[in-house]
Amino acid sequence: GDSVTQMEGPVTLSEEAFLTINCTYTATGYPSLFWYVQYPGEGLQLLLKATKADDKGSNKGFEATYRKETTSFHLEKGSVQVSDSAVYFCAPRFYNQGGKLIFGQGTELSVKP
Amino acid sequence: GAGVSQSPSNKVTEKGKDVELRCDPISGHTALYWYRQSLGQGLEFLIYFQGNSAPDKSGLPSDRFSAERTGGSVSTLTIQRTQQEDSAVYLCASSVGGTANTGELFFGEGSRLTVL
């Protein structure tokens, strides 16, 4: 069935380091792909999205490319900041399941100065 | 309102009591979702509404859990005879439904439930 697998955390990086959080999915169709972020003490908010193959979502220096051939949507940022410390969730939206998001288990990122 | 509103933000109850959690979605959003976030775990889908109908209830963990939506707007999640394992943050989200669906779900701040 449709599912998502996300890199486990926690991840600890120094400021200005490169970040990659892996996300892969299995699907019978072509889902829309989302990354959500949850900052400490705050609610979930959309970070970026991509709705079709080869689309690149970007926001706040983060990027993710919809790779149909590898069914992946890895999140990357070239230079992380302390303020990026949060939990990141990969979430495909499978339209044959009523459009609900299926969330990965979340990756906690901690950036040290 | 401007965003998804949930109440109460915090609820502490005794084991065996019933609780109701409320969600007020963004005006005009026809799709509404309930999720549960337990400590140290990801987000677990509970139920999805399109209008007042619930075509997908597959995530409700037991028959103690139920939800309804009235007027295509406010939704209530009810947990009967609460158990300690029900302790979690219950999140509500809404989105534009139908052919205008751009994909994004908008989340509320959540209702934190603690069962003693």
Side-chain angles (χ1 to χ4, degrees):
Chain A
D2 298 337
S3 65
V4 58
T5 301
Q6 183 177 340
M7 185 175 86
E8 291 188 19
V11 174
T12 302
L13 295 174
S14 297
E15 209 166 18
E16 300 183 1
F18 184 85
L19 169 71
T20 300
I21 301 177
N22 291 336
C23 172
T24 57
Y25 64 90
T26 58
T28 53
Y30 299 104
S32 293
L33 301 173
F34 298 82
W35 278 98
Y36 277 78
V37 60
Q38 191 171 32
Y39 296 103
E42 298 185 17
L44 272 170
Q45 56 186 277
L46 178 68
L47 179 61
L48 54 82
K49 70 177 183 181
T51 58
K52 61 183 188 297
D54 301 325
D55 267 2
K56 178 182 283 187
S58 61
N59 186 27
K60 300 182 179 181
F62 290 88
E63 291 184 339
T65 301
Y66 191 141
R67 302 285 188 198
K68 187 177 72 173
E69 62 278 8
T70 54
T71 62
S72 65
F73 193 53
H74 305 323
L75 182 68
E76 296 183 335
K77 186 172 186 181
S79 176
V80 293
Q81 305 300 312
V82 172
S83 57
D84 295 325
S85 298
V87 182
Y88 294 81
F89 294 91
C90 181
R93 188 169 188 185
F94 300 104
Y95 290 98
N96 62 346
Q97 294 193 39
K100 68 190 181 194
L101 291 175
I102 303 297
F103 283 86
Q105 69 266 38
T107 302
E108 182 179 1
L109 170 67
S110 179
V111 180
K112 305 298 184 185
Chain B
V4 177
S5 178
Q6 291 187 247
S7 61
S9 55
N10 259 295
K11 176 72 176 179
V12 180
T13 191
E14 293 180 348
K15 177 182 172 180
K17 301 285 190 183
D18 297 352
V19 297
E20 284 190 353
L21 308 176
R22 175 188 166 107
C23 173
D24 201 342
I26 292 172
S27 178
H29 281 190
T30 59
L32 186 147
Y33 305 80
W34 283 98
Y35 288 82
R36 178 168 72 173
Q37 186 174 23
S38 302
L39 186 63
Q41 300 188 23
L43 279 85
E44 175 187 14
F45 167 79
L46 298 178
I47 187 169
Y48 152 63
F49 287 93
Q50 179 59 47
N52 292 336
S53 302
D56 188 349
K57 307 177 183 179
S58 62
L60 293 178
S62 74
D63 59 8
R64 295 187 296 105
F65 288 72
S66 63
E68 66 174 11
R69 190 178 184 195
T70 56
S73 182
V74 172
S75 176
T76 303
L77 177 69
T78 301
I79 309 173
Q80 296 179 309
R81 305 182 302 281
T82 52
Q83 304 294 313
Q84 288 181 332
E85 61 263 27
D86 300 334
S87 296
V89 177
Y90 290 82
L91 294 169
C92 177
S94 70
S95 75
V96 174
T99 56
N101 194 336
T102 61
E104 180 178 358
L105 268 61
F106 295 83
F107 283 83
E109 297 283 327
S111 292
R112 180 177 298 277
L113 174 65
T114 303
V115 182
L116 301 177

